[in-house]
Amino acid sequence: MHTLDWIVLTASLVFIVAYGVWKGRGSKDIAGYFLADKSMRWYTILLSIMATQASAITFLSVPGQAFVDGMRFVQFYFGLPLAMIILCITFVPIFHRLKVYTAYEFLENRFDLKTRGLASLLFLTQRGLAAGLTIYAPALILSVILGWDLYLTNLLMGGMVIIYTASGGTRAVNWTHSYQMLIIFLGMLAAFAVLLYHLPGDISFLEATHVAGKMGKLNAIDFSFDLNNRYTVWSGILGGLFLQLSYFGTDQSQVQRYLTGRSIAQSRMGLLLNGMVKIPMQFFILFIGAMLFVFYQFEAPPVFFNSVETGKIRASQYAEEFSELERQYEAAAAEKEARVRELVSALRSGDEARIGAAERSLAQAQEAALATRSQAVEVLRANDPGMDPKDTNYIFLSFVTRYLPVGLVGLVIAAIIAASMSSTAAELNALASTTIVDIYRRILRKEDSEKQYVGASKIATVLWGVYAIIFAESASRLGSLVEAVNILGSLFYGTILGIFLVAFYLKRIGGSAVFYAAFVAEAAVLYCFFFTDISFLWYNVVGCAGVVLVSTLLHPFLKKKTRS
Amino acid sequence: MKKEFNPPESQIEEPPPVFQSWNGWYALVLATLLALIALFYAFTKAFE
């Protein structure tokens, strides 16, 4: 990177850490440390919710996903607005009126301590692992770009977050989220502008969009009903609703954000506006990926975007074979470019027959290029059998480093790191609050002073940060990161949501019934994961429905026991 | 010891901005979702 990029990157990160430490100073009790004394307004809550959900994975993996698979991933978010409405009607007023610190505290009010403990442990397991992934993603970028040791990069990334999250708690997390979102928006807009600037001068924006559409990258909507199809309108609305409801209603990293609202209205406004702006934001990020795909129709792309792997093979016995495949791929890309230009020319003529012929010809050229690429990946795997054959996560990064001007490279990398820091900070903050409020203060040390609880909370934040860094070290073989995080979440979210839905809507069912039902439902989810091809979005439905149904069936048998 | 929050009830029950009730906001969020799905469908078809 150029010196100016380093200055932009360092200044952005140092500012975030210093600002977080400064804004978070002075919390004397856990109400201040974990809930910012319930002082936040709707816009801070909105930005904090968005920053928590939009991790670096969003900006690294999502454009690459559109590049490879098209824009259909946007449907994944269709359940989110519905989830926001349900949360505002049910969860928000109850959490506010009960004055809880964590979502799981409510479960003891409603059921019993063991159900609260079970939900807390499921959350700590799932979120503890996910925190490692959110540190790993930008660490991977830095290690690839700068040739840094991945271990040290993870340590540096995690360490910066630990400093301000441990020292300032929720207040530091929420305030830094606002500035992190600003850096993220600026970075993504800059990348998009440069991408459009680099499209060939004789191709208009509209024509570029047509090329993306004709090559299957603008498939934003699919109304087909297929349980094995990962992203459709129906899986997005139904499966997505359950996932988002679980995430925003029962995941402490999000619940903690809107519990800081100074009133029910402020929390509701933050959530509802998130329901309106999240989908357009995801659409924009996916559209960047689709335009990146068009860009690489006119500019020969590397045969494989992970430069670490291509570097390895150049120093191996497969170097010559790989170079030959690179030459073939370059020729295939040139052939494809000619076909794309034919298609653009046909589109300009408006002649349907000519357009159809050009499309078929382009599809053949695309197939030939993909076949060569597959061969190259096979050679890469022969050289390094443990490598990840997917290079989705490197596509956007590769463009940034090769084509963005000096200064903007630093800004985009700062945006990606800021996104990672924002999610990790919220996760560590939530892991600490659950550990201290639901376990330490409730079970282990009931009579400590507020000062002692704040001290223990800071220690818990540091320990969870260290745990996340250790997990990040082993996260390099999980394929597309964004999917890995969502699949991991879906393994537990449905069950936790089921517990909460029974708590809210099935008032007669007691703690023991829901406790045993949660084990049965979790077993069903794990069965689906290990032994079926059902798309992960449906795990949330299985887990949630499992808890509701089994607890209803168990209720008559456990009724007396529950009452006694 | 657990600290209790005691903001005034008027602050907890603040009315929604713009609309007379929260139902107006819920309807707006739903309408936005439907409009986006329709828009994305038109977008998909237009560039198919």
Side-chain angles (χ1 to χ4, degrees):
Chain A
M1 282 202 307
H2 192 275
T3 311
L4 184 60
D5 292 317
W6 276 111
I7 292 170
V8 171
L9 175 62
T10 311
S12 305
L13 300 183
V14 168
F15 173 77
I16 287 170
V17 174
Y19 184 71
V21 170
W22 180 66
K23 287 297 278 190
R25 72 197 187 286
S27 289
K28 293 186 176 62
D29 51 37
I30 57 167
Y33 191 77
F34 284 135
L35 295 182
D37 289 318
K38 283 191 174 283
S39 58
M40 297 293 165
R41 292 187 177 275
W42 64 267
Y43 46 86
T44 315
I45 296 169
L46 168 66
L47 290 172
S48 193
I49 286 169
M50 292 181 74
T52 298
Q53 191 176 22
S55 66
I57 292 164
T58 306
F59 303 102
L60 272 175
S61 199
V62 172
Q65 189 143 354
F67 187 101
V68 174
D69 195 32
M71 293 181 66
R72 67 195 188 114
F73 181 61
V74 76
Q75 298 167 111
F76 171 80
Y77 292 94
F78 286 172
L80 187 137
L82 303 173
M84 296 298 105
I85 293 172
I86 294 170
L87 283 170
C88 288
I89 293 171
T90 310
F91 290 58
V92 173
I94 290 179
F95 287 163
H96 263 277
R97 288 190 184 117
L98 289 175
K99 294 161 185 162
V100 294
Y101 289 81
T102 72
Y104 319 111
E105 205 176 341
F106 159 73
L107 293 176
E108 187 177 357
N109 283 338
R110 170 65 179 83
F111 297 123
D112 49 30
L113 180 58
K114 68 176 183 298
T115 310
R116 174 184 180 177
L118 175 66
S120 306
L121 287 176
L122 285 174
F123 167 72
L124 291 173
T125 306
Q126 184 272 120
R127 190 46 64 188
L129 297 175
L133 278 179
T134 47
I135 291 177
Y136 165 75
L140 177 68
I141 304 171
L142 291 180
S143 68
V144 170
I145 293 177
L146 307 170
W148 283 8
D149 179 80
L150 187 57
Y151 174 77
L152 289 175
T153 315
N154 279 327
L155 206 61
L156 184 73
M157 290 299 311
M160 281 195 296
V161 177
I162 289 171
I163 290 170
Y164 71 85
T165 309
S167 74
T170 299
R171 208 186 300 273
V173 173
N174 281 18
W175 281 109
T176 48
H177 276 162
S178 304
Y179 285 92
Q180 283 159 338
M181 282 309 286
L182 180 70
I183 294 172
I184 290 166
F185 282 133
L186 287 176
M188 295 312 282
L189 283 172
F192 185 60
V194 172
L195 178 56
L196 294 186
Y197 174 79
H198 278 290
L199 285 174
D202 58 333
I203 305 288
S204 71
F205 173 68
L206 196 61
E207 286 166 345
T209 312
H210 271 293
V211 169
K214 297 288 182 201
M215 297 185 79
K217 301 300 172 189
L218 303 184
N219 50 347
I221 293 289
D222 180 353
F223 280 111
S224 67
F225 193 87
D226 176 5
L227 283 179
N228 296 323
N229 188 350
R230 192 163 275 190
Y231 305 114
T232 65
V233 170
W234 313 116
S235 73
I237 288 179
L238 195 57
L241 166 65
F242 278 82
L243 177 60
Q244 306 293 352
L245 202 53
S246 311
Y247 177 52
F248 284 95
T250 72
D251 188 315
Q252 179 63 10
S253 64
Q254 281 294 0
V255 173
Q256 199 161 356
R257 310 276 72 76
Y258 59 80
L259 281 182
T260 60
R262 58 183 290 177
S263 66
I264 293 173
Q266 297 293 324
S267 299
R268 277 181 170 153
M269 284 306 296
L271 287 167
L272 290 173
L273 289 171
N274 181 49
M276 289 197 277
V277 300
K278 179 70 184 177
I279 296 173
M281 187 184 108
Q282 287 301 131
F283 183 87
F284 173 64
I285 297 169
L286 283 163
F287 191 64
I288 290 178
M291 283 293 110
L292 199 52
F293 177 80
V294 177
F295 167 77
Y296 276 121
Q297 302 312 304
F298 299 100
E299 183 80 28
V303 69
F304 196 69
F305 281 94
N306 183 341
S307 56
V308 171
E309 290 299 334
T310 53
K312 272 187 205 168
I313 203 164
R314 284 184 220 292
S316 75
Q317 54 172 320
Y318 297 99
E320 206 171 308
E321 190 180 348
F322 187 73
S323 293
E324 175 54 30
L325 284 167
E326 280 188 309
R327 278 191 291 276
Q328 285 178 25
Y329 189 67
E330 210 172 303
E335 175 67 21
K336 193 152 55 104
E337 183 188 344
R339 299 284 166 262
V340 171
R341 287 189 180 279
E342 266 180 31
L343 175 65
V344 172
S345 168
L347 285 167
R348 282 174 187 160
S349 73
D351 181 344
E352 288 298 328
R354 210 180 135 198
I355 293 171
E359 273 186 75
R360 284 189 293 277
S361 168
L362 175 57
Q364 281 172 358
Q366 170 80 338
E367 224 167 89
L370 286 176
T372 310
R373 187 178 183 281
S374 297
Q375 282 180 302
V377 173
E378 284 309 311
V379 177
L380 285 165
R381 288 184 84 170
N383 180 51
D384 179 5
M387 68 163 279
D388 180 0
K390 286 186 180 177
D391 58 353
T392 319
N393 303 321
Y394 300 87
I395 295 170
F396 180 62
L397 169 66
S398 169
F399 170 79
V400 167
T401 53
R402 287 176 68 179
Y403 296 99
L404 259 63
V406 167
L408 286 186
V409 174
L411 179 67
V412 173
I413 291 175
I416 290 167
I417 294 173
S420 165
M421 289 167 76
S422 65
S423 300
T424 310
E427 286 166 336
L428 298 187
N429 192 221
L431 288 164
S433 64
T434 305
T435 306
I436 297 301
V437 175
D438 293 308
I439 296 170
Y440 184 81
R441 192 181 70 158
R442 177 64 186 85
I443 299 168
L444 302 177
R445 301 287 289 264
K446 292 184 180 178
E447 299 300 327
D448 277 6
S449 67
E450 284 292 323
K451 196 178 169 189
Q452 285 171 313
Y453 285 134
V454 172
S457 304
K458 290 182 179 182
I459 292 169
T461 308
V462 173
L463 290 178
W464 276 113
V466 170
Y467 170 80
I469 291 170
I470 291 169
F471 180 77
E473 305 301 345
S474 54
S476 61
R477 294 202 175 91
L478 287 169
S480 173
L481 292 168
V482 70
E483 286 191 356
V485 167
N486 287 322
I487 291 169
L488 189 64
S490 296
L491 289 177
F492 299 97
Y493 276 152
T495 304
I496 302 178
L497 178 64
I499 296 173
F500 274 86
L501 290 187
V502 171
F504 285 127
Y505 298 113
L506 301 174
K507 308 265 187 207
R508 289 177 303 124
I509 294 177
S512 294
V514 83
F515 182 77
Y516 296 121
F519 279 100
V520 175
E522 193 54 45
V525 171
L526 293 175
Y527 177 84
C528 291
F529 176 66
F530 286 112
F531 301 110
T532 74
D533 292 327
I534 293 173
S535 165
F536 73 88
L537 275 172
W538 295 104
Y539 300 166
N540 301 285
V541 183
V542 171
C544 182
V547 174
V548 173
L549 286 175
V550 177
S551 63
T552 307
L553 290 173
L554 287 177
H555 169 64
F557 303 102
L558 296 170
K559 198 159 60 175
K560 279 184 186 171
K561 199 175 171 184
T562 303
R563 279 181 182 164
S564 70
Chain B
M1 292 294 290
K2 183 175 175 179
K3 183 184 172 183
E4 295 293 335
F5 301 106
N6 291 305
E9 279 302 304
S10 59
Q11 198 182 58
I12 285 185
E13 300 296 346
E14 252 178 67
V18 186
F19 294 105
Q20 301 235 323
S21 77
W22 285 103
N23 288 342
W25 276 102
Y26 302 150
L28 179 64
V29 173
L30 270 181
T32 307
L33 172 64
L34 292 176
L36 284 172
I37 292 176
L39 199 67
F40 293 166
Y41 181 72
F43 175 79
T44 303
K45 288 290 164 195
F47 294 102
E48 205 167 49

